[in-house]
């Protein structure tokens, strides 16, 4: 598994990058996250050849990580990412005021003011 960091500005350049890497022998899976600028290549391939080819066309391509691919570890990372995303969504909903995270709100009782001439005012408890 190899992760390459690079700047991708549009879908056209993303397609060019994926087509360039797909031509190499031994590549089984290619994923591109254009928001983060991550290109992930999985398979049995020569990483130096892929990186050299990418650097020719995209100067800012830099290898972030390279190592063996472990599907169990990858599944755990995806699940952890899903949990974080759900928590973030829950917090966003709470901040919009749809529901309260802190429990029920306290209710205040308001006493009606008397109209007596010597009365000092209303009492709110």
């Amino acid at each position: 598994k190899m992760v390459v960091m690079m700047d991708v500005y549009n879908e056209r350049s993303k397609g060019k990058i994926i087509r360039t890497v797909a031509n190499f022998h031994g590549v089984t899976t290619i994923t591109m996250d254009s928001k983060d600028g991550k290109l992930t290549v999985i398979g049995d391939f020569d990483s130096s050849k892929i990186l050299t080819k990418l650097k020719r066309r995209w100067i800012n391509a830099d290898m972030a990580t390279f190592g063996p691919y472990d599907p169990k570890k990858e599944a755990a990372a995806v699940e952890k990412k899903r949990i974080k995303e759900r928590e973030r969504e829950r917090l966003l909903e709470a901040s919009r005021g749809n529901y309260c995270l802190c429990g029920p709100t306290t209710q205040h009782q308001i006493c009606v003011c008397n109209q007596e001439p010597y009365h000092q005012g209303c009492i709110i408890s």
Side-chain angles (χ1 to χ4, degrees):
K1 176 180 174 182
M2 178 174 75
V3 178
V4 179
M5 300 299 287
M6 53 194 334
D7 292 335
V8 180
Y9 299 108
N10 54 22
E11 292 296 317
R12 186 176 176 192
S13 62
K14 179 180 172 181
K16 285 181 182 181
I17 292 168
I18 290 174
R19 280 192 302 269
T20 300
V21 175
N23 291 332
F24 284 94
H25 179 70
V27 174
T28 57
T29 307
I30 304 168
T31 56
M32 181 79 186
D33 185 10
S34 22
K35 184 171 57 174
D36 295 336
K38 277 188 197 177
L39 171 70
T40 306
V41 184
I42 299 172
D44 186 26
F45 53 86
D46 187 8
S47 62
S48 62
K49 287 183 180 180
I50 292 177
L51 195 59
T52 304
K53 181 75 169 191
L54 287 174
K55 281 192 175 225
R56 275 190 210 145
R57 294 187 72 185
W58 295 276
I59 298 169
N60 60 351
D62 291 320
M63 186 184 310
T65 60
F66 181 77
Y69 175 67
D70 186 13
K72 291 178 185 176
K73 197 174 193 181
E74 191 75 23
V78 169
E79 185 61 32
K80 194 181 282 188
K81 188 175 180 180
R82 271 194 208 131
I83 290 170
K84 281 185 180 181
E85 185 66 27
R86 285 184 198 144
E87 181 66 23
R88 190 178 71 80
E89 298 255 342
R90 189 176 73 84
L91 290 174
L92 278 173
E93 286 293 321
S95 69
R96 290 185 187 130
N98 292 343
Y99 61 92
C100 181
L101 292 175
C102 56
T105 58
T106 57
Q107 296 181 358
H108 297 283
Q109 295 177 349
I110 300 174
C111 297
V112 179
C113 296
N114 290 336
Q115 297 298 328
E116 298 175 7
Y118 301 108
H119 187 44
Q120 297 297 324
C122 296
I123 299 172
I124 301 174
S125 61

